[in-house]
Amino acid sequence: MKRFAGRFISLFCSLLIIPVVFTQPISVKRVPLLTMYGFQVKFPKATGAKWEKEGDNYEASFKLKGASVSSLFDAHGAWIQTEIAISKKILPEAVKAVIASDFKKYPLIRAEESHAANKDVVYEAVFKKNKKEWEVQFDEAGNILKK
């Protein structure tokens, strides 16, 4: 009985922690004013923003010039990163060449362009393998940064 109670308590505590680790949708009213200000300055023409809490940061998902965009800000309004959904056709030629040679067996589901403060642009390609999606990151020259 004590083993069962111990396992139950462990399971219950872990279930309390899980929501904190993952992103959580939040109301715009719960986004700090400085974060909202930073977002509005960076993306004045953004429409339909939906917010999520990601750790200590805030992620806005929105449309900009017809593209799906997500951008991450800290609680003080400082911009951290932006990911823009792009057409597979506009990936850099070097990235397309690596995909064609090294990943030709796997369907390319979507592509993104990622910008972060003081960093080079990163291109993300999402492939499907065995009914699961996986992401590969490339630099502009086609070098694989992360698999």
Side-chain angles (χ1 to χ4, degrees):
M1 185 69 167
K2 287 182 181 181
R3 279 175 75 186
F4 175 76
R7 287 182 183 168
F8 178 77
I9 290 170
S10 295
L11 175 64
F12 181 75
C13 290
S14 65
L15 290 174
L16 290 175
I17 293 171
I18 288 172
V20 174
V21 176
F22 299 104
T23 61
Q24 300 175 349
I26 59 171
S27 162
V28 70
K29 294 175 185 176
R30 299 198 60 209
V31 178
L33 288 176
L34 288 174
T35 303
M36 287 296 296
Y37 178 75
F39 171 73
Q40 291 171 347
V41 167
K42 182 95 175 148
F43 302 103
K45 295 184 180 186
T47 59
K50 293 183 180 163
W51 290 89
E52 292 182 345
K53 182 113 168 66
E54 191 174 292
D56 293 333
N57 300 314
Y58 297 84
E59 181 177 31
S61 297
F62 55 95
K63 294 282 186 185
L64 186 64
K65 299 180 184 175
S68 295
V69 180
S70 66
S71 196
L72 194 63
F73 292 84
D74 70 15
H76 304 288
W79 172 71
I80 298 170
Q81 177 185 13
T82 297
E83 291 182 339
I84 305 164
I86 61 171
S87 167
K88 303 167 204 171
K89 296 175 185 174
I90 63 170
L91 284 168
E93 291 302 320
V95 173
K96 288 194 269 189
V98 173
I99 290 172
S101 66
D102 296 1
F103 300 96
K104 61 185 170 195
K105 294 180 183 178
Y106 311 108
L108 177 59
I109 297 172
R110 67 181 172 275
E112 295 178 345
E113 187 177 283
S114 181
H115 301 262
N118 302 319
K119 293 187 179 177
D120 293 332
V121 175
V122 173
Y123 295 91
E124 299 175 358
V126 180
F127 299 94
K128 194 164 195 165
K129 178 182 180 183
N130 299 329
K131 299 182 181 180
K132 291 187 179 183
E133 293 184 5
W134 54 286
E135 180 181 286
V136 179
Q137 295 180 350
F138 302 89
D139 65 12
E140 195 165 3
N143 299 309
I144 297 174
L145 304 174
K146 184 179 174 186
K147 239 183 190 180

